[in-house]
Amino acid sequence: MLNILWPAFILISFLYGILQGNVEAINQTIFESAKNAVELTITFFGTLCLWNGIMKIAQETSFTIKLTKLLKPAIDFLFPEIKHNEKAKEEISMNMIANILGLGNAATPLGLKAMKTLQKENSKKDTVSNSMAMFIVINTASLQLIPTTVIAIRASLASNNPTQIIFPVWGATIAAFITAVLATKIMITIDKKRKNSFDFKNKK
Amino acid sequence: MNFIQFLSSSAIPIVIAIIVIYGLLEKNKVYDTFVEGAKEGMEIVVKLFPTLLGLFIAIGALRSSGVLDCIIQFISPITNVLHIPSEIMPLAILRPISGSASTAVATDIMNNFGVDSKIGLIASTIMGSTETTFYTIAIYTSCVGIKKIRFVLACALLGDLVGMLISVVIWGFLS
């Protein structure tokens, strides 16, 4: 994707800049941007490592087990079709917890493991099953307790209150999550009804 | 408002304290674990830097050449009707597509309009509350060789859209 977007951004800017006669501004920006990228990286280096360290502690304690227990009813509701597949349920909750803790690097491998377990139960191997659909949709919703990266960026830009956004982020995340999950549930139900009536016709 | 500010600024120290106490109670070597985690964080930053550099330059060029303003002006009639600040639109469009590109755009917005300005706060909230939907779907399906994703993309994008609208609405109320 970026292999198309990146050159497009640069070429369009260059052409537009020539037409508008402000190539000089572009020239300045190129070097300023490089400097900004270094400055930003250095300033959020510390905060990001700090969070990863703290969340690593959380991951290794029973804090995680407590969270898994809290998640259990939610997981049974979200994935009714794998009620008896303990392994899949455990992997899914580990992935969700890593997401909640903001450990993206840990969440992805756990999520892929869960996908492999779900694929074993999947009847059509080239199509997502209902459980997989729900699982992917949940992973596209950002279920993060503390939006660490944004806070790190805000702190590096000398915000008066970098953490001011936490509650609004929770509000927006929860709304987005509920919408996506409900939409998925509705689509699964519609699909099932369609399939049932199809089977019924076939029997006739 | 003051109470929310107090809660927001004490949330992080409280979370850290709870986690450390947990670790201590369970006789985890908390410091070793912390250092190990921090090391992983370092790898994330090192990996992120080259993409960030490339995108900063591309987005800087878009802004300084005037292309970005041109796009914003073009879509402002639509966004005005919906009461969405049009300066946010480049972020809203890129957010589901690329994590690093949207991080670069959001930072650019915060730099230009002020971190604590309404637009800066909306950009922060959008970044915190949404994910790189396309990328997530791509890796989760390709790892098990799935080609048909049914309604997954539509539902995920609907969630992103709601998250973004709520981000705008919340800061419309708070500021």
Coordinates of all heavy atoms in Angstrom, one line a residue, chain A residues 34-69:
Chain A
A34 N 13.0 15.4 8.3 CA 14.0 14.5 8.8 C 14.4 14.7 10.2 O 14.5 13.8 11.1 CB 15.2 14.5 7.9
K35 N 14.6 16.0 10.5 CA 15.0 16.4 11.9 C 13.9 16.1 12.8 O 14.1 15.6 13.9 CB 15.3 17.9 11.9 CG 16.3 18.3 13.0 CD 16.5 19.8 13.0 CE 15.5 20.5 13.8 NZ 15.5 22.0 13.7
N36 N 12.6 16.5 12.4 CA 11.5 16.2 13.3 C 11.3 14.7 13.6 O 11.0 14.4 14.7 CB 10.2 16.7 12.6 CG 10.0 18.2 12.7 OD1 10.7 18.8 13.5 ND2 9.2 18.7 11.8
A37 N 11.5 13.9 12.6 CA 11.4 12.4 12.8 C 12.3 12.0 13.9 O 12.0 11.2 14.8 CB 11.6 11.7 11.5
V38 N 13.6 12.4 13.8 CA 14.6 12.1 14.8 C 14.2 12.6 16.2 O 14.2 11.8 17.2 CB 16.0 12.6 14.4 CG1 17.0 12.3 15.6 CG2 16.4 12.0 13.1
E39 N 13.8 13.8 16.2 CA 13.4 14.4 17.5 C 12.2 13.7 18.2 O 12.3 13.3 19.4 CB 13.1 15.9 17.4 CG 14.3 16.8 17.4 CD 14.0 18.2 17.0 OE1 12.8 18.5 16.8 OE2 14.9 19.0 16.9
L40 N 11.2 13.4 17.4 CA 10.1 12.7 17.9 C 10.4 11.3 18.4 O 10.1 10.9 19.5 CB 9.0 12.6 16.8 CG 7.8 11.8 17.2 CD1 6.9 12.6 18.2 CD2 6.9 11.4 16.0
T41 N 11.2 10.6 17.6 CA 11.6 9.2 18.0 C 12.4 9.3 19.3 O 12.1 8.5 20.2 CB 12.5 8.6 16.9 OG1 11.8 8.8 15.6 CG2 12.7 7.1 17.2
I42 N 13.3 10.2 19.4 CA 14.1 10.2 20.7 C 13.2 10.6 21.9 O 13.3 9.9 22.9 CB 15.2 11.3 20.5 CG1 16.3 10.7 19.6 CG2 15.9 11.6 21.9 CD1 17.4 11.7 19.3
T43 N 12.3 11.5 21.7 CA 11.5 11.9 22.8 C 10.5 10.8 23.2 O 10.2 10.7 24.4 CB 10.7 13.2 22.6 OG1 10.3 13.3 21.3 CG2 11.6 14.4 22.9
F44 N 10.0 10.0 22.3 CA 9.0 9.0 22.8 C 9.7 7.7 23.0 O 9.0 6.8 23.5 CB 7.7 9.0 22.0 CG 7.6 8.3 20.7 CD1 8.0 7.0 20.6 CD2 7.1 8.9 19.6 CE1 7.9 6.3 19.3 CE2 7.0 8.3 18.4 CZ 7.4 7.0 18.3
F45 N 11.0 7.6 22.7 CA 11.8 6.4 23.0 C 11.6 6.0 24.5 O 11.2 4.9 24.8 CB 13.2 6.8 22.8 CG 14.1 5.6 22.4 CD1 15.0 5.7 21.4 CD2 14.0 4.4 23.1 CE1 15.8 4.6 21.0 CE2 14.8 3.3 22.7 CZ 15.7 3.4 21.7
G46 N 11.8 7.0 25.4 CA 11.7 6.7 26.8 C 10.4 6.2 27.3 O 10.2 5.2 27.9
T47 N 9.3 7.0 26.9 CA 8.0 6.7 27.4 C 7.5 5.3 26.9 O 6.9 4.5 27.6 CB 7.0 7.7 26.9 OG1 7.6 8.9 26.8 CG2 5.8 7.8 27.8
L48 N 7.8 5.0 25.6 CA 7.4 3.8 25.0 C 8.0 2.6 25.7 O 7.4 1.6 26.0 CB 7.7 3.7 23.5 CG 6.7 2.9 22.7 CD1 5.5 3.6 22.4 CD2 7.4 2.3 21.5
C49 N 9.3 2.7 26.0 CA 10.1 1.6 26.7 C 9.5 1.4 28.1 O 9.3 0.3 28.6 CB 11.6 1.9 26.7 SG 12.3 1.8 25.1
L50 N 9.3 2.6 28.7 CA 8.7 2.5 30.1 C 7.4 1.7 30.1 O 7.3 0.8 30.9 CB 8.4 3.9 30.6 CG 7.5 4.1 31.8 CD1 8.2 3.7 33.0 CD2 7.0 5.5 31.9
W51 N 6.5 1.9 29.2 CA 5.3 1.2 29.2 C 5.4 -0.2 28.9 O 4.8 -1.1 29.5 CB 4.3 1.9 28.2 CG 3.6 3.0 28.8 CD1 3.8 4.3 28.5 CD2 2.8 3.0 30.0 NE1 3.1 5.1 29.4 CE2 2.5 4.3 30.3 CE3 2.3 2.0 30.8 CZ2 1.7 4.6 31.4 CZ3 1.5 2.3 31.8 CH2 1.2 3.6 32.1
N52 N 6.3 -0.5 27.9 CA 6.5 -1.9 27.6 C 7.0 -2.7 28.8 O 6.6 -3.8 29.1 CB 7.5 -2.0 26.4 CG 6.9 -2.7 25.3 OD1 5.9 -2.3 24.7 ND2 7.4 -3.9 25.0
G53 N 7.9 -2.0 29.6 CA 8.4 -2.6 30.8 C 7.4 -2.9 31.8 O 7.2 -4.0 32.3
I54 N 6.5 -1.9 32.1 CA 5.5 -2.0 33.1 C 4.5 -3.1 32.7 O 4.1 -3.9 33.5 CB 4.7 -0.7 33.3 CG1 5.7 0.4 33.8 CG2 3.5 -0.8 34.1 CD1 6.1 0.2 35.3
M55 N 4.1 -3.1 31.4 CA 3.1 -4.0 31.0 C 3.6 -5.4 30.9 O 2.9 -6.4 31.1 CB 2.5 -3.6 29.6 CG 1.7 -2.3 29.6 SD 0.4 -2.4 30.9 CE -0.3 -0.8 30.7
K56 N 4.9 -5.6 30.8 CA 5.6 -6.9 30.8 C 5.4 -7.5 32.2 O 5.1 -8.6 32.4 CB 7.0 -6.7 30.5 CG 7.8 -8.0 30.3 CD 7.7 -8.6 28.9 CE 8.4 -9.9 28.8 NZ 8.2 -10.5 27.5
I57 N 5.5 -6.6 33.2 CA 5.3 -7.1 34.6 C 3.9 -7.6 34.7 O 3.6 -8.7 35.2 CB 5.6 -6.0 35.6 CG1 7.0 -5.5 35.5 CG2 5.3 -6.5 37.1 CD1 7.3 -4.3 36.4
A58 N 3.0 -6.8 34.2 CA 1.5 -7.2 34.3 C 1.3 -8.5 33.7 O 0.6 -9.3 34.2 CB 0.7 -6.1 33.7
Q59 N 2.0 -8.7 32.5 CA 1.7 -9.9 31.8 C 2.2 -11.2 32.5 O 1.7 -12.3 32.4 CB 2.4 -9.8 30.4 CG 1.8 -10.7 29.4 CD 2.6 -10.7 28.1 OE1 3.8 -10.3 28.1 NE2 2.0 -11.1 27.0
E60 N 3.3 -11.0 33.4 CA 3.9 -12.1 34.0 C 3.3 -12.4 35.4 O 3.7 -13.4 36.1 CB 5.4 -12.0 34.2 CG 6.0 -12.0 32.8 CD 7.5 -12.3 32.9 OE1 8.1 -12.4 34.0 OE2 8.1 -12.5 31.8
T61 N 2.3 -11.6 35.8 CA 1.7 -11.9 37.1 C 0.3 -12.4 37.0 O -0.2 -12.5 35.9 CB 1.6 -10.6 38.0 OG1 0.8 -9.6 37.2 CG2 3.0 -10.0 38.2
S62 N -0.4 -12.7 38.1 CA -1.7 -13.2 38.0 C -2.7 -12.1 37.7 O -3.9 -12.4 37.5 CB -2.1 -13.8 39.4 OG -2.3 -12.8 40.3
F63 N -2.2 -10.9 37.5 CA -3.0 -9.8 37.0 C -3.7 -10.3 35.7 O -4.9 -10.0 35.4 CB -2.1 -8.6 36.7 CG -2.8 -7.3 36.4 CD1 -3.4 -6.6 37.4 CD2 -2.7 -6.8 35.1 CE1 -4.0 -5.4 37.1 CE2 -3.3 -5.6 34.8 CZ -4.0 -4.9 35.8
T64 N -2.9 -11.0 34.9 CA -3.4 -11.5 33.6 C -4.5 -12.6 33.8 O -5.5 -12.6 33.1 CB -2.2 -12.2 32.8 OG1 -1.0 -11.4 33.1 CG2 -2.5 -12.1 31.3
I65 N -4.2 -13.5 34.8 CA -5.2 -14.5 35.1 C -6.5 -13.9 35.5 O -7.6 -14.3 35.1 CB -4.7 -15.5 36.1 CG1 -3.4 -16.1 35.6 CG2 -5.7 -16.6 36.4 CD1 -2.6 -16.9 36.6
K66 N -6.4 -12.9 36.4 CA -7.6 -12.2 36.9 C -8.4 -11.6 35.7 O -9.6 -11.7 35.6 CB -7.2 -11.0 37.8 CG -6.8 -11.5 39.2 CD -7.7 -11.0 40.3 CE -7.4 -11.8 41.6 NZ -6.2 -11.4 42.3
L67 N -7.6 -11.0 34.8 CA -8.3 -10.4 33.6 C -9.0 -11.5 32.7 O -10.1 -11.3 32.2 CB -7.3 -9.6 32.7 CG -7.0 -8.2 33.2 CD1 -5.9 -7.6 32.3 CD2 -8.3 -7.3 33.0
T68 N -8.3 -12.6 32.6 CA -8.9 -13.7 31.8 C -10.2 -14.1 32.4 O -11.2 -14.4 31.7 CB -7.9 -14.9 31.8 OG1 -6.6 -14.5 31.7 CG2 -8.3 -15.9 30.7
K69 N -10.3 -14.2 33.7 CA -11.5 -14.6 34.4 C -12.6 -13.6 34.1 O -13.7 -13.9 33.9 CB -11.3 -14.7 35.9 CG -10.8 -16.1 36.3 CD -10.8 -16.4 37.8 CE -10.1 -17.7 38.1 NZ -9.3 -17.5 39.3

